Amino acid sequence: MKCRILTEKEMTQISGGEVITVSAVMAVLCAAVMAVVIYRLFMSKKGTAAVPGGWKFTWN
């Protein structure tokens, strides 16, 4: 891959807003998944959950 120095006009055309958009989408997706998991956890009559580190929860 060859590198070259950009001109002033080429530098003004570069925009970098993609990272913020991807971060926002990932944050919303994470919040939605966590909301579904918490809803399913609290609305179930009985079940078990295992968390890394050896933590296990059981409810009836």
Side-chain angles (χ1 to χ4, degrees):
M1 182 172 152
K2 274 190 150 177
C3 296
R4 67 179 181 89
I5 298 175
L6 298 176
T7 65
E8 288 289 328
K9 184 177 180 183
E10 290 171 331
M11 283 193 279
T12 59
Q13 294 176 348
I14 296 173
S15 63
E18 297 86 7
V19 176
I20 296 171
T21 304
V22 171
S23 298
V25 169
M26 291 298 289
V28 170
L29 182 64
C30 182
V33 169
M34 288 303 297
V36 169
V37 168
I38 291 171
Y39 175 79
R40 296 286 306 260
L41 185 66
F42 283 114
M43 297 308 281
S44 64
K45 298 291 183 201
K46 63 179 186 176
T48 60
V51 181
W55 294 76
K56 292 184 180 181
F57 302 98
T58 305
W59 60 97
N60 294 329

